[in-house]
Amino acid sequence: GSGSKKIVGVFYKANEYATMNPNFVGSVEGSLGIRDWLESKGHQYIVTDDKDGPDSELEKHISDLNVLITTPFHPAYVTAERIKRAKNLELLLTAGIGSDHIDLQAAAAAGLTVAEVTGSNVVSVAEDELMRILILVRNFVPGYHQVITGEWNVAGIAYRSYDLEGKTVGTVGAGRIGKLLLQRLKPFNCNLLYHDRIRMDPELENRTGAKYEEDLVKMLGKCDVVVINTPLTEKTKGMFNKELIGKMKKGVLIVNNARGAIMDTQAVVDACSSGQIGGYSGDVWYPQPAPEDHPWRYMPNQAMTPHISGTTIDAQLRYAAGVKDMLDSYFKGEDFTPQNYIVKEGELAPQYR
């Protein structure tokens, strides 16, 4: 659209870390590195980390902003109610991948456009998943805890530490991240399985050595390690409940860098406590930031982190460039790269329909 636009960005604060890396662009302080560019074009750019509740900084600008940029790492939850009040809103951009913090049905009904920087952090997330698989399989976290608490008890770690080689690893979802993970797992000589709506092309299947499993429950029953790589949609919300977790191998290891809300929070706590889940590692929670009393912080056999896998410095530079590129197209009235669209002028992308 033409004319001066009001653009609001919601990012996490870097505080004392802001000056430690000149490429730390994904923070409030870094503001995606686009402030000078936007202001030189006559646009107004407001950036905040204050996103929740009626008195938040974001709320002050809802009524007249044109563009909202937010990230999955510190998501501004864009509810139907917020969309109703955002009379001038045209464009919602996700700096990163996964736009489920937005009510997509409401955004579509309002004729908005929602887009994300597809592919910007897929390598970052896949590498992180590989790390988590090894951390769980080797029972790394208790060993680290022993070191920092002055203990030495090899047995306390070794009794549940295994080799990854020869284990069955399955990914629920084999989109860009799932495929990259399978490629990276190949040299470990695991038995690789994947479940997805769409089967991979045979050439890639051969290259990764992964076998397609049409039946999710059947696949889950075979896996020593399960990795979640599916978007959060109405279909996948809370899908890993008590019943589905109960159909997995006792002691299964689960890695989830997809979205916290794909899991039933309490079901995961109960299964980690009973030993049905032998270890759970991921960096996604619901809600985000996770409150201090979130039960996943206190459950046994977890190797959790805040939502960091997709916000490495390398990923930040890629998703900042992608956001700038889309804003540039938006100012010129041009289309974005087709796969970046989640909602295009009120039309939902197929995976969210």
Side-chain angles (χ1 to χ4, degrees), residues 12-318:
Y12 55 82
K13 262 209 175 111
N15 298 314
E16 70 270 28
Y17 302 102
T19 56
M20 292 185 186
N21 190 328
N23 291 324
F24 199 163
V25 292
S27 60
V28 164
E29 293 83 351
S31 303
L32 299 183
I34 56 177
R35 178 174 298 284
D36 292 348
W37 174 70
L38 284 173
E39 289 175 352
S40 74
K41 289 186 168 304
H43 303 296
Q44 191 187 358
Y45 188 33
I46 289 140
V47 172
T48 183
D49 73 323
D50 182 18
K51 65 192 181 71
D52 296 318
D55 302 323
S56 62
E57 185 65 24
L58 170 59
E59 205 57 47
K60 287 182 197 147
H61 302 289
I62 285 282
S63 61
D64 68 342
L65 56 80
N66 303 112
V67 180
L68 176 61
I69 307 166
T70 181
T71 78
F73 316 104
H74 185 78
Y77 293 106
V78 184
T79 56
E81 191 249 342
R82 269 181 169 169
I83 288 169
K84 230 189 225 92
R85 274 181 291 127
K87 299 282 180 243
N88 298 345
L89 180 59
E90 295 170 337
L91 178 62
L92 289 154
L93 292 180
T94 299
I97 303 175
S99 299
D100 46 83
H101 51 277
I102 297 161
D103 184 327
L104 297 175
Q105 304 294 338
L112 302 178
T113 291
V114 180
E116 58 188 45
V117 192
T118 299
S120 58
N121 53 22
V122 291
V123 167
S124 320
V125 176
E127 284 185 6
D128 189 274
E129 287 175 343
L130 181 57
M131 172 187 76
R132 285 174 200 278
I133 291 169
L134 287 164
I135 279 172
L136 290 177
V137 170
R138 306 309 289 256
N139 204 22
F140 173 88
V141 173
Y144 172 74
H145 277 301
Q146 281 189 24
V147 170
I148 57 175
T149 55
E151 292 174 78
W152 185 281
N153 178 358
V154 174
I157 303 151
Y159 82 103
R160 47 182 298 164
S161 173
Y162 295 87
D163 293 349
L164 182 52
E165 181 165 272
K167 301 301 179 288
T168 299
V169 181
T171 175
V172 182
R176 287 176 172 83
I177 296 168
K179 288 187 182 86
L180 288 171
L181 176 66
L182 292 169
Q183 286 165 2
R184 280 156 178 72
L185 280 168
K186 190 173 200 267
F188 286 86
N189 301 319
C190 314
N191 176 26
L192 299 177
L193 307 174
Y194 75 97
H195 168 81
D196 200 283
R197 298 180 300 144
I198 305 158
R199 190 168 180 166
M200 269 184 231
D201 65 83
E203 200 266 325
L204 190 61
E205 217 172 69
N206 281 338
R207 232 180 28 225
T208 58
K211 291 185 185 66
Y212 180 60
E213 292 275 344
E214 202 169 351
D215 185 326
L216 173 64
V217 174
K218 215 176 244 169
M219 181 185 88
L220 292 176
K222 297 176 186 174
C223 291
D224 301 300
V225 180
V226 172
V227 186
I228 316 289
N229 274 313
T230 180
L232 175 63
T233 64
E234 283 308 312
K235 286 190 191 79
T236 62
K237 200 175 183 173
M239 111 185 210
F240 281 84
N241 55 14
K242 184 183 179 187
E243 189 194 359
L244 192 58
I245 293 169
K247 291 181 172 160
M248 296 160 94
K249 268 189 187 182
K250 187 169 170 60
V252 66
L253 305 175
I254 298 178
V255 170
N256 178 14
N257 282 356
R259 286 295 178 263
I262 293 167
M263 318 302 288
D264 173 329
T265 300
Q266 192 56 42
V268 172
V269 176
D270 296 343
C272 282
S273 305
S274 72
Q276 174 60 21
I277 294 176
Y280 185 90
S281 183
D283 69 341
V284 286
W285 308 66
Y286 186 77
Q288 290 189 174
E292 221 170 299
D293 63 356
H294 196 295
W296 286 1
R297 292 180 186 267
Y298 309 104
M299 65 190 180
N301 305 316
Q302 58 90 354
M304 294 296 294
T305 51
H307 192 179
I308 51 170
S309 64
T311 188
T312 59
I313 296 297
D314 301 286
Q316 288 178 37
L317 291 171
R318 290 189 296 260

